[in-house]
Amino acid sequence: MKLLLIAAAVASTLSFNAHAQSAEELTGTLKKVKDSGTLTLGIRESSGPLSYLDGNQKVVGYHIDICYKIVDAVKARLKMPGLKVAEQVVTSQNRIPLTVNGTVDLECGSTTNNADRQKQVAFAPTTFVTNVRMAVKKASGITELDQLSGKPVATTTGTTSVALMRAHEKGKNVDFKEVYGKDHADSFLMLESDRAVAFVMDDNLLASLISNSQNAAQYAIVGPALSTEPIAIMLRRDDPQFKALVDDSVKGLMKSGEINKLYTKWFLSPIPPKNISLNFAMSDALKGAIANPNDNPAESYKK
C-alpha cells in the first residue's frame, strides 16, 4: 500500500512538472499568438508573384502559399486548428517597423535578407533569389545605366534599388534623378505615364508588373544585374522558438519537393488576374538555396 502511495505521489509530481513545463514552453511569438488567438501575416498588394492582389482583391502568391504552410505548422504546434489568421497590408517603408513592434508576425512579401536588416529582424530560409535590374519602355532605346544621366528613375520607397544603382561600377558617375513610388504599382505607374524613364527593382516583380500592364509588349527588362539578392519571409529577431518552427516548416517544403510545385504554380503557370504565365525559370542560385537551406544575407552572394 505504501509503495502504491509513493508511486502515485511520484506520478502526480511528474504530471505537475510536465504541466508546468508545458505552460512555460511557449515564448515570444508563439506565446503571443496562443494568448491572442490570432496570427498576423504582413502582405503586399503589388509584389507579384510573391504577394499581390488578384482580380477579386484577395491576396495570393508564392510567399502567401508558403506563409499559410507555416500557419498550418503553428496551428499544429499550438493545438489550435481554429487559430485566426489576420492579414495586414505592409509597404516597403513600414514592413520592418511593423514586424519589430509585433503588428505582424510573419512578413510574406518580397523582402531582401541583408546584413543590415538582420540587425533588426530575422529571416526564414531563402525561398527566392532575385536580380535587381531596370524596366524601360522599348521605344526609349535605353539599355544601359549610363543612358540614364539627367533622367528621372523610379524606385519604391524603402527599397535598396537606388543605392545599388549608385554603388554599381556602371552607375557611380551617372547623375539621374530619383523619383519614388509608395509601392511597386505606383513606381511602375511612373514608368507607364512617362514620369520616369526606368523603374529599378527585382526582376521578378518587374516581370509581374509588365505582364499585367495594359501593353506588356512595349516594355523590356534591361541592363546589368545590379545585385543578386536572397528574398525570404521575415519575422522578429531573438525568438528562437518561433524561428525554429518557421525554419523547420520551410525546410520541410524544400525536402518534400513541395516548394518546387509552388514555384511551378506561380512562376511557370498561368496566374491571376490575367491568367498569364511569367515563364520565369528557377535560377541556379535558388536551386542551390533549396538544396542547402540557409538564411545567409545578400552579402554572401557577392562575388
Side-chain angles (χ1 to χ4, degrees):
M1 183 68 177
K2 186 176 181 179
L3 289 174
L4 289 174
L5 289 173
I6 292 172
V10 171
S12 177
T13 301
L14 290 174
S15 176
F16 175 81
N17 289 340
H19 178 75
Q21 183 180 6
S22 176
E24 293 170 357
E25 268 181 355
L26 297 181
T27 60
T29 299
L30 288 179
K31 184 178 187 307
K32 170 183 175 288
V33 171
K34 177 77 171 179
D35 292 346
S36 68
T38 301
L39 186 149
T40 302
L41 304 180
I43 59 125
R44 300 296 296 273
E45 294 183 316
S46 57
S47 290
L50 305 181
S51 173
Y52 69 104
L53 297 179
D54 68 5
N56 298 312
Q57 297 300 296
K58 177 186 176 183
V59 66
V60 296
Y62 174 68
H63 269 175
I64 297 300
D65 282 0
I66 292 173
C67 273
Y68 271 96
K69 296 290 185 181
I70 298 171
V71 169
D72 289 342
V74 172
K75 289 179 178 180
R77 173 69 176 80
L78 299 180
K79 298 181 175 59
M80 296 176 67
L83 178 68
K84 181 181 176 183
V85 180
E87 295 175 346
Q88 169 71 47
V89 176
V90 299
T91 65
S92 296
Q93 195 169 19
N94 68 18
R95 57 190 166 180
I96 291 177
L98 292 182
T99 301
V100 171
N101 71 18
T103 300
V104 301
D105 302 308
L106 288 170
E107 193 270 334
C108 311
S110 53
T111 303
T112 295
N113 173 2
N114 62 33
D116 186 58
R117 286 171 175 168
Q118 283 194 5
K119 296 174 184 177
Q120 304 175 73
V121 294
F123 291 89
T126 297
T127 40
F128 189 70
V129 180
T130 191
N131 288 308
V132 177
R133 298 181 68 198
M134 60 180 177
V136 299
K137 286 185 175 179
K138 293 176 182 177
S140 71
I142 294 172
T143 58
E144 296 292 341
L145 295 179
D146 57 13
Q147 294 173 276
L148 299 176
S149 188
K151 298 180 173 65
V153 176
T155 193
T156 305
T157 301
T159 64
T160 59
S161 301
V162 165
L164 291 171
M165 277 188 69
R166 296 204 181 282
H168 194 275
E169 183 179 353
K170 292 186 177 180
K172 285 181 179 178
N173 299 316
V174 180
D175 184 22
F176 57 88
K177 178 184 177 183
E178 303 164 18
V179 291
Y180 291 94
K182 66 180 186 296
D183 56 27
H184 300 318
D186 192 38
S187 297
F188 187 78
L189 181 60
M190 290 183 179
L191 174 62
E192 202 169 31
S193 59
D194 296 318
R195 286 175 287 162
V197 298
F199 172 26
V200 181
M201 189 46 59
D202 301 354
D203 55 3
N204 62 291
L205 301 181
L206 296 176
S208 177
L209 289 162
I210 289 171
S211 70
N212 286 295
S213 65
Q214 290 184 350
N215 188 359
Q218 72 175 322
Y219 299 99
I221 299 173
V222 300
L226 302 177
S227 180
T228 298
E229 305 199 337
I231 308 296
I233 290 160
M234 186 166 60
L235 57 150
R236 280 181 287 286
R237 277 191 80 213
D238 302 321
D239 191 353
Q241 189 179 73
F242 189 51
K243 176 81 161 72
L245 183 149
V246 171
D247 286 1
D248 287 347
S249 300
V250 173
K251 289 176 183 177
L253 294 176
M254 292 174 172
K255 185 176 181 179
S256 69
E258 180 67 20
I259 201 161
N260 297 78
K261 295 177 183 177
L262 292 177
Y263 189 94
T264 297
K265 172 184 175 182
W266 291 104
F267 291 90
L268 299 170
S269 306
I271 58 174
K274 291 189 174 182
N275 291 318
I276 296 172
S277 173
L278 298 183
N279 291 318
F280 206 89
M282 184 181 290
S283 67
D284 289 341
L286 180 54
K287 290 176 183 176
I290 291 173
N292 299 286
N294 67 83
D295 61 359
N296 297 336
E299 288 74 8
S300 67
Y301 285 71
K302 309 294 184 190
K303 294 183 179 179

